[in-house]
Amino acid sequence: MLDPASRLNAALTGRYEVERELGEGGMATVYLAKDIKHNRSVALKVLKPELAAVVGAERFLAEIETTANLQHPNILPLYDSGEADTFLYYVMPHVEGESLRDRLDKEKQLPVDEAVRIATGVANALSFAHKQGVVHRDIKPGNILFQGGQPVVGDFGIALAVGAGGGARLTETGLSVGTPHYMSPEQATGDQRVAARSDIYSLGCVLYEMLVGDPPYMGSTAQAVLGQIIAGKPVTAIEKRAAVPAHVDAVIRKALEKVAADRFATASELATALNDSGFRYGESVGVGEGGDVRKWKIATAVSAAMALLAVGWASFTSPPTTSQSARSVRLEVPRPWEDLRSIDIAPDGGQLLFTFVDSATEEGREATSRMWLQGWDGLPPSAVQGTEGAGSGTFSPDGRQLAFIADGDLKLLDLSGGRPRTIVPDIDFAYMVWGDDGFIYGSFYTTRRPTIVRVPEGGGAEEQVTTEVAGFVHYRPSLLPGGRGVLYSSSLRASGDITADSVAVLDLSTGEQQSIFPGSYAEYLPTGHLLVQTWENQLLAVPFDLETLTVTGDAVVVTDDVSAFQLSAVGDLVYIDGTPVKSDTEAVWLDRDGTRTNIDSFPPGPVPEDPALSPDGSLLALTVSESGTRRLVIKDLEDGTVLTLEEAIRVAWSADSREVGFSAPVDGGNVLMRRRADGSGQPTALTGVLSGWDIGRWGLDQPIILGTETGLAVLTLGQDTVPASLLEVGVAHDNATLSPDGRWVAFEAGAPRASRIFVRPFPDVESAQIPVSSQGGVAQDPQWSADGHTLYYTQPRSPGTDLVAARVATEPSFEVLDRVVFAQYQAGAWNTGGWLYDVAPDGERAVVTAFRFQLGELRGLVLVEDFVGDLRRRLSQGN
């Protein structure tokens, strides 16, 4: 007796050739088959015999024909259907790759943005089908596939045909259309009048699972699940995962209403609400276990955020030693400590402002951040609507508004209501403080933007506040009373020597600035002192004259083991008890799915730069900081050996992978050099001294395109001794790089906070300029793929960096076909202008250089009430 597959093959001879079984669902068995007529692989789905007997061939085939006209980018089309030897079958494209079910089995939860993107695509498919009168009836992760990265919905035909063909007889047999976890209440009760809103309910279940990790209702049996769907309590995703934005949670709650009339009327309405951050429905639900929220009265006025870089904290121990007259209170936070990004305290002392970020951020995966307000009234914290993607943030001096960074933009939000508004686009402060002088002061964690700047609180042009000092980065500003000056941290990050860092002060009346005391951060005390945090994690009270802006005496130790602090206007101190996060640096492989694999680790200091994989993929060259000098390091990726060579930046390779090129400092400029990659022999100079040219990615076998302050220049090795002007347009061009076929030049141009990636033909660069990166934001560091059909670049995105892959066509003209995020990672800070990634020759993964954080011994958040008064008493007593 022939097995079903053999019978099926015999019945379909000349039309389809069954190759193997792919899987089995609740209603059909799926086979991989070859469509003989069209010479293509297809998915051949055969209705289960018991269903085929109930439905009947004539009715099934008549109903399934109605789905053949569902032509939509998010719907998997129906190729064919028929009956053969009692088999009822239908044929769809064979989609290479995984289903949403496969992905959820592997990843459990998806990034919020990705879940929203998938749900929007499915909603668009449902909207189109519903307008044609087709209800799917079995929306579930297994029926959502990915084709070219886009979600496509399969099995419209079988759900409709089985439901319409079987009718009541299907229910009588105990069979049903749909999968228990994703059934609507009307499906669960056996109602045959299933309409479009049933699909909307099922999509709500799928969206909930993508975010939470499980369907909304669980049970040990199908009957138990159906009972929960019919009579269970309403669910909310935000209760299980606080990073879910309020509007997304509202969409889920409306979609999962038990009464169909209470759900979205159409799938298009759901898609619109899903992408509207202002959408609300019913009562929002707070997060946190929150049963024991302490009721403190804290009169504080801290106007800056404590930067806590995704740290993990140990369990609480006893409070640190303080004066007996000062009351110390340990504060609890409503989310795991490792998710905490920053804290600020309202000027009236009424509430704390937290920024939380998914702990997955440090693993290189896409993550979501948002702000929460916690009062002292015993109620759970509440999400601040409109702050999705927030990075650094601070209260306004009157406490009525928030300023925060999201997607690089500086936004203001009125806490009395309304949506945030952008006042300065693409500024991307890493830290900021809102002064009482009408300005918001900010700083950056990069030597590309090394000074303190400020912008008017109502919006407008930025103004540089501190003057750049070569090799130093100014960050973490705090303001002195009466507009007297600005305190800030001055860091020699290019050297990696933290002992060279100091507290500095700018006199706003004269513009003079000077370093005044070793340390990492300081705030002014009304006792006439600076409260300084040292790199030994001590807090010191340092006598300070507000008129002369000078240190006037010896420091007094206040307490030890402080990793970060904030001081209130009325004298309270809030600090992190313990030693801070420690970090070294590393080079890692980053796969498209976010998986990180360590390649090598390096000592603390600036991140390695200019990673460059040899064309054969066997060697990795990069530059590593060593005692303030960047040296060329080459690692053999096969045997792990490491070769350290001379001082160098901007690494390049020969096409045969045997020689490495680099830029070496000489006489105030740079000389391009080449040498054997095995370290033998001596380096050979390729050029004279180059001064004032920007060197992007280059190769030893191509002309070299250099950026200038006004355009582009070209240098052909072996022919030119100095670069020749190629383009003069009066705009600075950076990180220029030539395509593998030598026909196109990619580069970045524009203001530092709004640079974009462009392409020009080569050598006729004046004939055209084509934008590659999308408008808005910052795009940097272009790199061509080995075949020249993809252009990679980076875009900052809180709380990480997107590595974007722009697929391009070069014939008959240059065109950007699409842009996708290749991977997301935490960028290394304190870089000196080199690139921090390189995509492997096969295009499947990338090398990224970044900080590697190691947890310090952190014990909690401590409030010391009336700290300033107590310090004044201690100082008067000589303690």
Side-chain angles (χ1 to χ4, degrees), residues 499-585:
T499 63
D501 294 358
S502 63
V503 173
V505 63
L506 167 70
D507 187 330
L508 284 173
S509 63
T510 66
E512 296 180 3
Q513 60 191 47
Q514 58 180 328
S515 294
I516 55 175
F517 197 85
S520 61
Y521 179 63
E523 290 195 40
Y524 182 75
L525 291 168
T527 59
H529 293 77
L530 298 181
L531 188 60
V532 177
Q533 179 187 352
T534 72
W535 284 108
E536 290 77 25
N537 306 313
Q538 287 185 317
L539 274 189
L540 305 180
V542 181
F544 181 76
D545 189 311
L546 192 59
E547 290 301 317
T548 62
L549 303 182
T550 57
V551 171
T552 59
D554 296 331
V556 175
V557 177
V558 175
T559 190
D560 297 315
D561 293 337
V562 174
S563 64
F565 79 91
Q566 290 291 286
L567 188 68
S568 77
V570 295
D572 296 332
L573 173 70
V574 180
Y575 70 92
I576 307 301
D577 172 28
T579 55
V581 170
K582 300 175 181 178
S583 67
D584 53 15
T585 58

Side-chain angles (χ1 to χ4, degrees), residues 155-210:
D155 278 7
F156 266 99
I158 189 170
L160 173 70
V162 170
R169 292 187 300 121
L170 188 67
T171 304
E172 292 169 1
T173 67
L175 299 170
S176 62
V177 178
T179 304
H181 291 99
Y182 312 97
M183 280 186 177
S184 65
E186 53 268 35
Q187 283 181 293
T189 58
D191 191 341
Q192 295 305 304
R193 295 167 298 175
V194 173
R197 295 189 187 191
S198 178
D199 284 348
I200 289 172
Y201 183 98
S202 300
L203 178 54
C205 294
V206 172
L207 177 56
Y208 181 97
E209 184 176 359
M210 285 192 287

Side-chain angles (χ1 to χ4, degrees), residues 309-374:
L309 300 179
V311 300
W313 288 19
S315 59
F316 288 156
T317 61
S318 58
T321 302
T322 61
S323 169
Q324 294 300 315
S325 61
R327 189 170 78 92
S328 295
V329 180
R330 285 193 178 275
L331 311 182
E332 297 177 358
V333 295
R335 285 276 304 277
W337 289 109
E338 60 266 25
D339 293 346
L340 183 61
R341 182 76 173 219
S342 67
I343 302 173
D344 194 16
I345 304 178
D348 65 0
Q351 51 192 349
L352 278 175
L353 175 69
F354 296 101
T355 301
F356 289 113
V357 60
D358 289 348
S359 54
T361 302
E362 297 305 328
E363 299 300 322
R365 293 177 177 269
E366 184 177 352
T368 305
S369 57
R370 193 193 321 184
M371 290 179 164
W372 299 81
L373 286 172
Q374 171 74 69

